[in-house]
Amino acid sequence: MGRIDPDDYVFYCIASLMLIIFAAAYVIDTSELPTVYGFGDDPQGALDTAWSIRSEPIEHLIIVDDETGEILAQFVGNESSVSVPGEYLYLVEGAIVIHNHPPPWGAARFSDADLEFLNSTKCDELWVATEKSCTSIDSEGYIERQYWSSLGYG
């Protein structure tokens, strides 16, 4: 029986541990984990609005007052996009802009177009509502995600 070199043993232990970590990271979809338990400082009206469009089959976009939750404007797009007409862009400044990602793909992630919109306007927050959750991002890149059930919906 041959002797095991201590250096080889350490290498194989580290390699095995790295393989286990890689396998766990591959199996666990962290995009479904909440990043922050929040929305506590946002008006209830904004959450109610997001809830109301979460399952719509086409994209909706609603501009909501950041302080009161009052709906300022709403727009309807198609299955993959929605936009704010230029004459309404002034309403976006300082507001919460909520839109949905329709089922079946309904990803709780922000698209490149979503992030471009956030960076090119002065909205306070951009939200995406899906059947399972609501996710927001502010102009500084701070992200909150919360499942509807934990927010008292459904």
Side-chain angles (χ1 to χ4, degrees):
M1 205 162 160
R3 241 177 73 147
I4 297 176
D5 185 333
D7 290 336
D8 288 341
Y9 180 76
V10 170
F11 170 80
Y12 288 117
C13 287
I14 292 172
S16 297
L17 182 59
M18 289 176 64
L19 182 61
I20 290 168
I21 291 170
F22 173 75
Y26 183 76
V27 171
I28 299 170
D29 179 9
T30 59
S31 69
E32 293 298 322
L33 297 176
T35 52
V36 174
Y37 297 97
F39 294 98
D41 60 346
D42 295 311
Q44 186 63 43
L47 283 168
D48 293 343
T49 299
W51 170 258
S52 73
I53 63 170
R54 75 196 184 290
S55 298
E56 290 292 329
I58 57 176
E59 286 205 25
H60 291 253
L61 184 144
I62 303 174
I63 302 170
V64 177
D65 183 277
D66 187 31
E67 299 293 320
T68 66
E70 175 189 358
I71 294 175
L72 304 176
Q74 45 191 338
F75 308 96
V76 178
N78 57 41
E79 294 84 8
S80 60
S81 68
V82 63
S83 61
V84 178
E87 63 267 26
Y88 294 98
L89 280 173
Y90 74 95
L91 293 172
V92 168
E93 188 170 340
I96 298 172
V97 177
I98 303 168
H99 73 296
N100 66 314
H101 285 174
W105 45 123
R109 297 177 183 93
F110 294 98
S111 68
D112 290 341
D114 294 339
L115 296 175
E116 185 177 316
F117 177 85
L118 176 68
N119 291 325
S120 66
T121 65
K122 294 181 180 178
C123 69
D124 188 47
E125 294 180 46
L126 179 63
W127 292 15
V128 61
T130 66
E131 288 187 315
K132 292 182 181 180
S133 66
C134 187
T135 305
S136 75
I137 185 169
D138 67 15
S139 58
E140 296 174 6
Y142 182 77
I143 297 175
E144 295 179 278
R145 179 179 299 125
Q146 193 65 269
Y147 292 97
W148 291 116
S149 58
S150 64
L151 290 168
Y153 292 85

